[in-house]
Amino acid sequence: MIARRLLGALAIAAAAATLVGCNEKPATTAQPKEIAFSILSAENEASMGPLWQPLLDDMSAQIGVKVKPYFATNYTSLIEAMRFKQIQVGWFSALPALDAVNRADGEVLGRVIDAGGEETYTSVIIARKGSGITLDKLLACGKKYTFGLGDPQSTSGTLAPMAYLFTPKGIEPSKCFKTVRSASHQSNAFSVANGVLDAATNNSVGIVFFRREQPALADKLETIWTSPPLPESSIVARKDLDPAIKEKLRQFFLTYGTGTGPTADKQRAVLKGLAYGGFRPADNSYLDPIREMQAAEALAEARHGGDPGKIAAAQAAYDKIHAAAAQKRAKEPDV
């Protein structure tokens, strides 16, 4: 009798467990009905929107989800938009991409190569042709010249010239120049060409776009400083985006403009309009050079301040980042 009762209790328990198991559903990430794609453009929406829309249309068709563009007037706005889930994926230049990874739960899906196949670009300083302004004269300071930096979150407009030029020489732009203002690459190019600013930062890609849209004004510009190579832009997506959609996005970029035939030719024409040659695989470590620049700038600022404790901390942080990046480079095969 006891045995029969025990077996009956076990059977009831097993049936109950089966019912519970049947009612449980595996945790899944809901597929979005629409994706917002941020375009971190240094130019205005009116000029860049038509260049990006064909690529977004192709993206929508391939991943099976409508992709809409999301423009903003500055880099910080787009990073915050990703942080608060207003956008799910986007094109970011290197420094904002790192901020999106650090602050907006982002991850790198791939990187851009330019129309010539280059995987890097450069920051530049431009002056009006014929003005007689040279880099030596500019760095002499004395509050003689007006100067334009880029957006504070811009890799080429602010971080690179500070890390590679001004900070190593102990120069603070606000103390060096008559006035300093921050604006987009396009605005800075207009200002220098029209004599509103004496000199300003820009980048090699921005100059290509400016020459294409304003050839007469571009002829009035000359480059007086060029940075070391910088990581090109990258595609960043939120980590919590549906994994299947994320993988479709990755494959879309890695295959876009490749192969032969009318479709591939059309895609390459779209890329040409953006001054791109295509996309390559990348992960968050692609942004290590930006981490190194930030650490180098922090170390230089600490040394300038003279506090031994801050110098030691900045040196340790730089050594750690530099060693990790050097180790990664050593493992990469020669191309």
Side-chain angles (χ1 to χ4, degrees):
M1 180 66 70
I2 294 174
R4 283 199 299 270
R5 288 178 179 174
L6 180 58
L7 287 172
L10 290 173
I12 292 171
T18 301
L19 288 173
V20 171
C22 290
N23 289 330
E24 287 181 349
K25 295 181 180 180
T28 58
T29 302
Q31 179 172 311
K33 295 180 180 179
E34 186 176 71
I35 288 176
F37 185 96
S38 69
I39 299 170
L40 205 65
S41 174
E43 320 305 329
N44 59 60
E45 179 179 346
S47 62
M48 296 302 291
L51 297 177
W52 276 96
Q53 194 58 54
L55 185 140
L56 299 185
D57 292 340
D58 290 342
M59 194 187 309
S60 299
Q62 182 160 325
I63 71 172
V65 177
K66 179 176 174 56
V67 181
K68 65 177 182 179
Y70 186 107
F71 287 93
T73 57
N74 59 69
Y75 295 85
T76 301
S77 296
L78 291 179
I79 295 166
E80 289 299 290
M82 177 168 277
R83 187 163 79 93
F84 288 104
K85 303 184 180 182
Q86 294 173 306
I87 59 176
Q88 292 73 45
V89 62
W91 171 83
F92 290 81
S93 64
L95 176 57
L98 182 57
D99 284 343
V101 167
N102 292 338
R103 296 170 44 207
D105 205 26
E107 64 175 300
V108 175
L109 297 185
R111 58 191 171 94
V112 172
I113 59 172
D114 73 15
E118 295 294 327
E119 299 178 357
T120 60
Y121 72 118
T122 57
S123 169
V124 300
I125 292 179
I126 54 175
R128 185 179 170 89
K129 192 177 295 183
S131 66
I133 298 174
T134 64
L135 183 61
D136 288 340
K137 289 180 179 179
L138 192 70
L139 298 183
C141 296
K143 289 188 173 291
K144 182 177 180 181
Y145 300 113
T146 55
F147 190 77
L149 284 169
D151 184 293
Q153 293 295 321
S154 170
T155 308
S156 57
T158 300
L159 178 63
M162 291 300 300
Y164 289 130
L165 182 63
F166 295 129
T167 300
K169 295 181 180 297
I171 293 175
E172 296 181 34
S174 62
K175 296 180 179 179
C176 177
F177 303 116
K178 185 190 300 184
T179 59
V180 178
R181 78 175 198 187
S182 294
S184 70
H185 293 320
Q186 184 184 55
S187 177
N188 280 340
F190 270 110
S191 295
V192 173
N194 290 316
V196 177
L197 289 174
D198 293 311
T201 61
N202 214 290
N203 68 40
S204 52
V205 177
I207 295 300
V208 169
F209 276 110
F210 191 70
R211 178 165 296 280
R212 185 166 61 190
E213 295 178 3
Q214 302 289 338
L217 290 178
D219 285 341
K220 296 181 179 181
L221 302 175
E222 63 179 349
T223 298
I224 61 173
W225 175 80
T226 301
S227 75
L230 305 173
E232 253 291 5
S233 308
S234 54
I235 305 300
V236 179
R238 281 192 56 88
K239 290 180 181 177
D240 59 5
L241 182 62
D242 173 50
I245 294 297
K246 195 186 302 181
E247 185 56 32
K248 287 181 180 180
L249 284 167
R250 191 195 312 274
Q251 293 305 315
F252 168 79
F253 285 107
L254 296 185
T255 60
Y256 197 78
T258 63
T260 59
T263 298
D265 291 340
K266 179 182 176 183
Q267 291 173 351
R268 281 190 283 271
V270 172
L271 291 171
K272 184 177 180 181
L274 293 166
Y276 291 159
F279 303 89
R280 295 289 183 271
D283 56 26
N284 290 352
S285 65
Y286 174 64
L287 303 173
D288 284 349
I290 305 303
R291 296 182 176 93
E292 284 189 274
M293 277 194 284
Q294 288 180 324
E297 186 179 357
L299 176 57
E301 290 176 353
R303 287 172 175 168
H304 181 70
D307 185 309
K310 291 182 178 179
I311 293 173
Q315 184 70 61
Y318 173 77
D319 289 344
K320 181 179 180 180
I321 292 172
H322 180 71
Q327 185 178 24
K328 180 178 180 292
R329 286 192 291 266
K331 292 179 179 179
E332 292 176 347
D334 293 332
V335 179

